[in-house]
Amino acid sequence: MDNPKIKENQFAVGQAEYTTGIILKKNNQYYNSGEDIQEVYSIFENLDLAKAFTEQGISKNSNIEYFILDHKGKSVYIVDQKGERK
């Protein structure tokens, strides 16, 4: 799957099903290879906003895990129902 094209100060949040690791689109449907990656990522102007989005999402549905990517496509934060993964 391609990484989103974002600016240096931006962060992209993606989500996956907790039990399987299958990537989900923003509407919680499974992402299929070849689909538009814009349907997968939510873009935020800073890391704090991105983290707040993940915390809110987990409080609504603990069966989803979230990951945050920086502008280089590097994973900078992963969180699930058990908290932040290191």
Side-chain angles (χ1 to χ4, degrees), residues 37-83:
I37 63 166
Q38 299 298 333
E39 295 182 38
V40 174
Y41 295 104
S42 298
I43 309 301
F44 295 90
E45 295 303 315
N46 63 56
L47 186 56
D48 289 336
L49 290 173
K51 284 183 175 181
F53 177 81
T54 66
E55 310 254 336
Q56 184 181 41
I58 287 174
S59 70
K60 290 180 182 176
N61 185 347
S62 63
N63 292 318
I64 295 178
E65 61 188 16
Y66 291 86
F67 54 95
I68 301 176
L69 305 177
D70 66 11
H71 71 283
K72 295 179 181 176
K74 179 183 174 198
S75 178
V76 296
Y77 185 75
I78 301 172
V79 64
D80 60 33
Q81 59 187 246
K82 296 178 182 177

Side-chain angles (χ1 to χ4, degrees), residues 5-54:
K5 306 286 189 265
I6 57 176
K7 297 176 186 170
E8 190 170 332
N9 63 323
Q10 293 180 318
F11 293 87
V13 177
Q15 57 189 23
E17 194 173 60
Y18 177 72
T19 55
T20 65
I22 295 172
I23 300 295
L24 300 172
K25 296 185 280 190
K26 291 184 274 187
N27 65 4
N28 293 335
Q29 299 297 310
Y30 288 156
Y31 169 79
N32 295 301
S33 181
E35 290 184 316
D36 186 358
I37 63 166
Q38 299 298 333
E39 295 182 38
V40 174
Y41 295 104
S42 298
I43 309 301
F44 295 90
E45 295 303 315
N46 63 56
L47 186 56
D48 289 336
L49 290 173
K51 284 183 175 181
F53 177 81
T54 66

